[in-house]
Amino acid sequence: MPRSWQEWMSSDMSECVTGYIDHVIFRNEDNGYTVFVMKGVEGQEELTCVGNFPVISQGATIEASGSYINHHVYGKQFQITSFVEKMPEDALAMERYLGSGAIKGIGAALAARIVRHFGEDTLRIVEEEPERLAEVKGISEKKAREIAAQTSEKADMRKAMMFLQKYGISLNLGAKIYQKYGDSVYSVLQENPYRLADDISGVGFKIADEIAGRIGIHTDSDYRIRSGMMYTLLQASGEGHVYLPQEELFGRASVLLGIDPSYMEKHLMDLAMERKVVLKENGDSVLVYPSRFYYLELNTARMLKELNILCPEDEGFVQRRIRQIEKETGTILDEMQKKAVTEAASHGLFILTGGPGTGKTTTINAIIRFFEGEGVELRLAAPTGRAAKRMTEATGYEAQTIHRLLELNGLPEEEREGQAVHFERNAENPLDADVIIIDEMSMVDIHLMHSLLLAVTAGTRLILVGDENQLPSVGPGNVLRDIICSGEFSVVELKKIFRQASESDIVVNAHKINRGEQVTLSNKSRDFFFLKRQDADIIIRVVIALIQEKLPRYVEAKPFDIQVLTPMRKGLLGVERLNQILQRYLNPPDPSKKEKELGQGLFREGDKVMQIRNNYQLEWEVRGRYGIPVDKGVGVFNGDTGILKTINEFSETAEVEFEDGRCAEYSFKQLEELELAYAVTIHKSQGSEYPAVVIPLLSGPRMLLNRNLLYTAVTRARKCVTLVGSEETFREMINNEKQQRRYSSLDIRLKEEL
């Protein structure tokens, strides 16, 4: 077993300090890296501490071992190598414990009086002779009895907490665990601590494994292997996979657990019998699905088929309507566009696909006008706020996010009953629309597709629009591509590049990249430039000059509207490094701008930021003139970008105004859901469009540097694309067809007979 964080004792460890955790400055939940302020340390007003801890609880008294370091920016810090949490022992700690609200009816002032009266004996008095509390001024006999009742009620909990602390579990997490299991906590921990990972949010496999190691559970324990395999499948879904082939699952789980794959087959069968996984044979291999994902795909396939009904329209009538629309709008539709209108009119489910410049927007507008003439109820939606805004601008009809269309309800965690998200529109309360058009379908994952279909009744026409060559969704599944690949539905692919678009090298080169053809880099273009540079720091200097000076004038946009897109997060030209440098130039320090340190970097008022995970509970409002709210709702989503308007140190909050005008307030703790967005990964830019994009390119992992990624990056620009870097890397990307294989099977489910 790997050594626990408690055991990483360095040989030159020199100091031991005792105090309580006053407040946490920063915490990275992925690796446990934490910065907090410790008070009550002898001879020091406050001490900044850093270290890696799986769990941490504010207000806890700890004894920490480690050494003092001097950080070049933040000054003196105490680097903790190990710590133990202590129950209140001395009078001061006891006072804090009582005044923390642990016992109802005792506040800070009363706690101080109790401790002054009983001193070191306080804890024993509270636990064993609580009626004596009436000796203290301000506590009546009745109140003493109430406190006594609470104390005896909580005695079991306190014992359990002390038991849990032996295994390095913090007070906060201990309270969660005790609430879930009550007195059976002892048997759960002794038998199968891996249950914690399934049952309690905040406990992942890693923490459960840590506890198991301390209890002395063997590495080849049945529970451990099963839990490790489920964890591996869950991690894979974070990469977009709906299943893993058995060999790959065994290989990944073997690395995680440090055991031979031959042990796993039996456990896989057990998991299948417990219905935690579904096994499907596929030729020679076996595909392993977490049950939830298998049934998501199965039900999505069933609902798509139910919508796929023929609604024959009179051919002559449709053609007359198309001619009328052309006349009214002054546009001429080509044969494929006319076919798209005809197919949309006569099918319950229709898919329109095509690359940039092929006239998707014109076709959508014609379809809208056709149905509008029929007097039907029409709804338009897209996966992100930015894509919905673009759809509104292109069609003149109000489009909303899919989450908004389905009326997201941000239920608190405890009321959600295992649901990640709750929509008011569902099978019981479907959407009242005759035609629903969804744009940017490549971004829609299997969860969102399933939720959407639940709210669409048979007889409603569903029109899906997107470019299947874009990157797939961030969440699991490959919905658009799988629907097209299945061959079960009416699909029209627009291929012809229209004259206006063909004058744009962005469009022409995007199609060349997609076909695997090399692009001429002569810089004679008006909207597609390549600046050859080989050194990362020189590339960054060029990028800054472009954003600050050259491009704003050229594309008539503000520097903040120009987006840097890069394939990678790490490295010399990765998002993390670029953002730190670009922040310095585009939003430099200023005495009038407040700042908030977070982890390895900081946020500053005026920063361009992006939400990096879905938060279904975060409230927002749109303000009209004079700051009066005109609209409000819940939910901020992965990829939403905006400006950090204010940082309030007093209330420990920050406000972000998103591009679509929504304003949301973040607590300092929630700021870890944001990151700087001067540069974003190409994956995160999906569904967005910018006046100009700048793409720094140097060599990197082959898996990331592929055609699909380059195509997506180039098609994000409206007026100008500038690539800065290595021509060789650019050419390699065009030649590299290899995409990270995404394991999804909606197409197979669609072909099956239901």
Side-chain angles (χ1 to χ4, degrees), residues 7-204:
E7 292 169 300
W8 288 111
M9 308 288 277
S10 63
S11 55
D12 60 346
M13 196 177 62
S14 50
E15 302 277 346
C16 186
V17 296
T18 301
Y20 68 97
I21 300 168
D22 185 66
H23 63 277
V24 175
I25 297 172
F26 168 74
R27 175 148 176 84
N28 180 336
E29 290 299 344
D30 294 335
N31 60 15
Y33 177 78
T34 310
V35 182
F36 62 83
V37 169
M38 193 189 226
K39 287 192 175 174
V41 180
E42 204 173 319
Q44 303 197 42
E45 196 171 317
E46 57 179 44
L47 180 62
T48 304
C49 301
V50 295
N52 287 67
F53 319 107
V55 282
I56 197 98
S57 55
Q58 215 159 299
T61 298
I62 62 167
E63 188 180 283
S65 304
S67 51
Y68 286 98
I69 55 170
N70 206 17
H71 192 280
H72 67 288
V73 177
Y74 305 125
K76 181 181 163 188
Q77 294 180 336
F78 189 69
Q79 178 90 46
I80 296 179
T81 48
S82 72
F83 80 86
V84 287
E85 202 164 315
K86 300 168 80 82
M87 281 303 276
E89 282 173 357
D90 62 0
L92 180 70
M94 188 65 220
E95 188 178 317
R96 263 201 321 276
Y97 172 72
L98 286 174
S100 69
I103 295 173
K104 209 171 162 190
I106 301 183
L110 192 51
R113 285 211 296 280
I114 294 170
V115 172
R116 266 205 307 277
H117 188 83
F118 295 112
E120 298 290 333
D121 216 17
T122 304
L123 186 58
R124 189 190 63 75
I125 297 284
V126 170
E127 287 206 329
E128 295 171 16
E129 303 176 67
E131 63 283 353
R132 283 188 59 194
L133 290 171
E135 295 171 19
V136 178
K137 192 180 171 199
I139 300 182
S140 63
E141 282 184 22
K142 185 183 172 208
K143 194 164 189 178
R145 281 198 299 277
E146 282 171 9
I147 293 168
Q150 279 190 69
T151 310
S152 65
E153 234 175 74
K154 293 191 176 171
D156 292 341
M157 182 176 177
R158 201 155 41 247
K159 283 192 192 100
M161 301 282 267
M162 290 179 81
F163 170 77
L164 291 169
Q165 277 184 55
K166 284 198 301 203
Y167 301 115
I169 297 169
S170 74
L171 289 171
N172 279 355
L173 201 53
K176 255 188 185 174
I177 294 169
Y178 187 75
Q179 273 164 357
K180 175 77 185 169
Y181 301 119
D183 288 342
S184 58
V185 65
Y186 306 102
S187 57
V188 168
L189 276 187
Q190 299 292 353
E191 285 168 29
N192 176 15
Y194 296 99
R195 270 184 65 184
L196 301 180
D198 292 341
D199 296 346
I200 292 160
S201 69
V203 181

Side-chain angles (χ1 to χ4, degrees), residues 378-509:
L378 200 78
R379 306 291 290 272
L380 273 60
T384 64
R386 192 181 266 235
K389 192 175 169 193
R390 264 178 43 216
M391 201 179 182
T392 302
E393 286 162 1
T395 61
Y397 278 80
E398 194 205 344
Q400 36 189 174
T401 63
I402 300 174
H403 287 90
R404 197 94 204 269
L405 176 75
L406 298 176
E407 297 174 20
L408 173 73
N409 181 345
L411 286 177
E413 202 173 314
E414 49 279 9
E415 290 172 32
R416 276 193 266 153
E417 293 174 14
Q419 301 285 312
V421 55
H422 177 76
F423 294 110
E424 293 295 329
R425 296 286 181 176
N426 46 39
E428 281 75 50
N429 180 25
L431 288 162
D432 43 0
D434 302 303
V435 179
I436 298 170
I437 304 176
I438 308 287
D439 199 7
E440 292 287 356
M441 264 303 298
S442 59
M443 296 180 70
V444 175
D445 64 17
I446 193 70
H447 288 289
L448 193 53
M449 190 67 192
H450 185 265
S451 297
L452 173 70
L453 291 170
L454 280 175
V456 178
T457 48
T460 301
R461 283 186 173 82
L462 184 61
I463 298 166
L464 307 176
V465 184
D467 179 355
E468 65 166 317
N469 293 310
Q470 296 282 3
L471 290 165
S473 56
V474 175
N478 206 347
V479 175
L480 179 66
R481 186 166 282 191
D482 281 358
I483 292 174
I484 295 170
C485 283
S486 73
E488 295 287 308
F489 306 101
S490 170
V491 178
V492 169
E493 185 181 0
L494 303 176
K495 289 180 177 172
K496 180 186 165 187
I497 300 175
F498 283 84
R499 188 185 63 79
Q500 195 182 348
S502 67
E503 292 169 7
S504 158
D505 285 326
I506 296 175
V507 172
V508 171
N509 290 342

Side-chain angles (χ1 to χ4, degrees), residues 593-611:
K593 290 180 182 174
K594 294 195 186 76
E595 296 178 353
K596 172 69 186 150
E597 272 178 36
L598 210 65
Q600 307 305 308
L602 60 83
F603 287 122
R604 184 175 292 127
E605 287 178 346
D607 272 335
K608 186 174 174 181
V609 291
M610 174 184 272
Q611 177 80 9

